[in-house]
Amino acid sequence: MTPLLPDDPLAERIRGNPNDPRGWILLGRGYLTLNDPSDAAAAFRRGLTVTPPSQRGPLSSAYGEALTYETQGAVSSEAEAAFAQALKLNPHDARALYYLGIAFAARGDRKNALALWNDLLAETPPNSTLHNVLVDRIAMLNGQAAPDINAMVEGLAARLKADPNDPQGWQRLIRAYSVLGNKERAKAALADAHIALKSNSDAMKAIDREAAHDGLK
């Protein structure tokens, strides 16, 4: 790892408390800013060793991303393992969903790549750069023009109306309406989910957590 300057405040922080995860996180981010993904990955890796397992999600994701930058965009097995760990702790981790999709697509696993990217697309603001990147990547995997996002959401709504016993489908629909800024439709979907899944308490808890995450409660 590139040595830090002797008078660098961050260096002093890490020397004084090497078991502080935040210091290593800040150091990793600093190296990324300097376009040094190798040292960034080393800093994040060190941070993971001093972070409690239940809190490693964002750091695992950052570590995987640094490894991917180091290999010019190729998701190595080590990076893939880091992203998978991040998703176990947070199924909404955008970096993990995106890069794991790249890993699946690279080895021809179109089904899993699309599943991850469609989930991520449903919760990505339409005016963001990531949204446009996802639309393009999904279109390329499907071998067609860029999809109509509103049509996709309405298609999911129609499918759930015909077959409402799909807890994950309801979560995706609520999330999609929220991301599109249609809170009224999101609340209506939440109410429909409560009716459709009223006998499934575990599913309803997950749905309510999604609603809280989307600011509907």
Side-chain angles (χ1 to χ4, degrees):
M1 181 179 292
T2 303
L4 296 167
L5 296 175
D7 58 350
D8 190 317
L10 182 53
E12 290 299 321
R13 174 174 181 162
I14 292 174
R15 291 191 192 99
N17 189 2
N19 292 322
D20 175 17
R22 181 160 175 75
W24 293 105
I25 292 170
L26 292 173
L27 180 61
R29 290 174 179 170
Y31 281 128
L32 284 179
T33 301
L34 295 172
N35 196 28
D36 186 352
S38 180
D39 281 347
F44 291 140
R45 186 187 303 116
R46 180 66 176 84
L48 283 168
T49 66
V50 295
T51 301
S54 63
Q55 299 173 22
R56 289 177 184 167
L59 192 49
S60 291
S61 183
Y63 175 50
E65 184 173 50
L67 290 173
T68 303
Y69 285 161
E70 189 178 9
T71 54
Q72 288 79 50
V75 182
S76 66
S77 58
E78 186 177 2
E80 188 171 345
F83 291 130
Q85 181 60 34
L87 276 191
K88 285 182 181 178
L89 296 170
N90 176 17
H92 297 284
D93 190 301
R95 277 184 301 202
L97 289 167
Y98 176 69
Y99 286 112
L100 280 177
I102 289 178
F104 283 126
R107 57 175 174 260
D109 189 344
R110 177 177 170 276
K111 179 180 178 181
N112 279 317
L114 286 174
L116 291 172
W117 284 342
N118 279 320
D119 280 348
L120 180 55
L121 185 64
E123 54 189 41
T124 301
N127 60 348
S128 69
T129 300
L130 177 58
H131 181 277
N132 295 333
V133 170
L134 287 168
V135 167
D136 289 342
R137 285 188 175 273
I138 290 170
M140 284 194 300
L141 279 188
N142 284 327
Q144 61 188 38
D148 183 331
I149 303 305
N150 287 307
M152 290 171 61
V153 174
E154 292 310 313
L156 175 58
R159 181 172 64 76
L160 287 170
K161 185 175 182 179
D163 182 14
N165 188 25
D166 181 358
Q168 291 186 336
W170 285 111
Q171 284 182 260
R172 287 183 60 192
L173 183 62
I174 292 167
R175 199 160 59 228
Y177 280 138
S178 296
V179 168
L180 290 172
N182 197 331
K183 294 293 184 182
E184 291 305 313
R185 295 294 296 273
K187 289 177 180 178
L190 175 61
D192 289 341
H194 271 272
I195 295 172
L197 304 171
K198 60 184 178 182
S199 61
N200 188 336
S201 59
D202 288 339
M204 282 316 310
K205 288 178 183 177
I207 293 289
D208 286 338
R209 283 195 299 270
E210 181 64 52
H213 178 269
D214 295 335
L216 302 176
K217 285 197 167 188

